[in-house]
Amino acid sequence: MTLELVRLPPAAPEKPVKLLFIHGICTGAWVWRQSFLPYFASLGYDVSALSLRGHGESEGRERVRSFGLRDFANDVEWAVKEIGGPVVIVGHSLGGGVVQNYVKRGGRAAGVVLMCAAPPHGLMRSSAELFIRNPTLFRELQRVLERGIRNANLDIIEDGLFAEPPSPQLRRLFFERMDDIAESASRQLYGFTPFAPLPWGMPKLMVIGCEKDEFVPPADVRLTAIYYGARSIIVKGGGHAIMMDSNWKDAAEPIAGWLAQEFRGAPGGAA
């Protein structure tokens, strides 16, 4: 399985850890390219973004609906070995669930950032809340899960992804590059079978979410932080796909601050 790993070298004195970004559902490494990768590279981080199998330029797109969390955790393991050195993994949405499962299976990381991530207790609570708060979006997500992204009403999906209407250029970029849904992995994230590690099994951790996230609302972000004994940060005015939104720095800067606080040693000393 050939996987896409986009890498940018540090553009400032090198920091003691490297960063690996894991995308969410139906996307790929490309969601990080516009803002997050160049921003963190400018701060001195060696940065990489992985396209999980079946996504982006990685192989397996014709089988993406059948891949589960174990498959994606194996992809993360490969990427961490490929990068080398102490690595902090940033997982968004589905990617956050994948990272938790990677740790549960014994995967190593210097630290983890869960960003608008599937909570360790699963998505049942947030799905029930979405059904009550936004039944139109709830029904559309069920349609995507059953029939695939190409049968979706993208206007409805867009309202769930962004806090404000995206520019025509961003909308075109986002929806032209979307892959089909990883159905098996998505169903596993409901949590009927535990996919997350025990709280004490997680390395250094930051939990961040967004005020206007329709998919992983602030309540689940806070519950994730409580489970792991960490603090949570809620980005005011942020939507689920904040890494591509105009206010992306409101999420990137707190992550940069946490990294600077937690990893101050010489390279190789943060594993």
Side-chain angles (χ1 to χ4, degrees):
M1 184 71 68
T2 301
L3 301 176
E4 178 187 23
L5 188 65
V6 177
R7 302 191 68 173
L8 280 183
E14 188 170 357
K15 291 294 196 292
V17 291
K18 301 176 182 181
L19 305 182
L20 171 62
F21 293 88
I22 310 296
H23 62 85
I25 202 163
C26 298
T27 59
W30 54 269
V31 297
W32 306 105
R33 275 178 151 169
Q34 177 176 304
S35 301
F36 267 57
L37 292 190
Y39 172 75
F40 284 98
S42 74
L43 297 179
Y45 291 99
D46 181 320
V47 295
S48 302
L50 172 69
S51 288
L52 300 168
R53 64 184 68 189
H55 298 82
E57 299 302 320
S58 292
E59 289 184 349
R61 297 179 76 175
E62 72 283 354
R63 292 184 286 145
V64 66
R65 295 182 69 88
S66 67
F67 295 137
L69 293 179
R70 177 188 291 272
D71 299 307
F72 295 150
N74 288 339
D75 297 343
V76 173
E77 181 180 14
W78 169 83
V80 168
K81 290 178 180 177
E82 188 75 11
I83 293 167
V87 180
V88 173
I89 310 175
V90 182
H92 175 260
S93 190
L94 164 73
V98 171
V99 173
Q100 290 173 80
N101 195 244
Y102 164 78
V103 174
K104 183 178 188 290
R105 295 178 184 279
R108 298 291 301 276
V112 167
V113 177
L114 296 179
M115 179 179 171
C116 304
H121 52 272
L123 293 170
M124 287 296 294
R125 199 213 69 82
S126 59
S127 294
E129 181 180 325
L130 182 63
F131 176 76
I132 296 169
R133 187 181 67 251
N134 192 337
T136 301
L137 179 58
F138 176 86
R139 287 193 295 270
E140 200 59 34
L141 291 177
Q142 295 306 304
R143 184 198 302 270
V144 171
L145 194 60
E146 294 168 6
R147 303 182 185 179
I149 193 66
R150 298 306 166 197
N151 293 298
N153 183 326
L154 297 183
D155 291 329
I156 297 174
I157 299 296
E158 174 188 293
D159 289 340
L161 287 172
F162 300 101
E164 303 293 339
S167 67
Q169 295 83 2
L170 176 55
R171 190 179 197 275
R172 190 180 314 112
L173 169 68
F174 204 92
F175 292 117
E176 283 180 356
R177 300 210 61 178
M178 288 183 79
D179 296 295
D180 202 0
I181 191 168
E183 180 185 359
S184 294
S186 298
R187 293 190 186 279
Q188 287 177 298
L189 290 179
Y190 278 95
F192 297 114
T193 300
F195 61 84
L198 294 171
W200 49 87
M202 185 64 78
K204 292 181 180 180
L205 175 69
M206 178 185 185
V207 180
I208 184 168
C210 289
E211 179 187 27
K212 296 184 178 180
D213 192 335
E214 292 280 359
F215 300 105
V216 184
D220 282 280
V221 176
R222 295 187 180 100
L223 287 171
T224 296
I226 290 169
Y227 175 81
Y228 287 117
R231 293 182 60 190
S232 60
I233 294 175
I234 306 298
V235 177
K236 186 176 180 180
H240 189 68
I242 192 167
M243 79 288 287
M244 297 193 72
D245 225 330
S246 59
N247 59 340
W248 62 269
K249 267 195 174 182
D250 293 342
E253 288 178 345
I255 295 173
W258 178 80
L259 289 168
Q261 180 178 349
E262 295 292 335
F263 302 99
R264 298 176 179 175

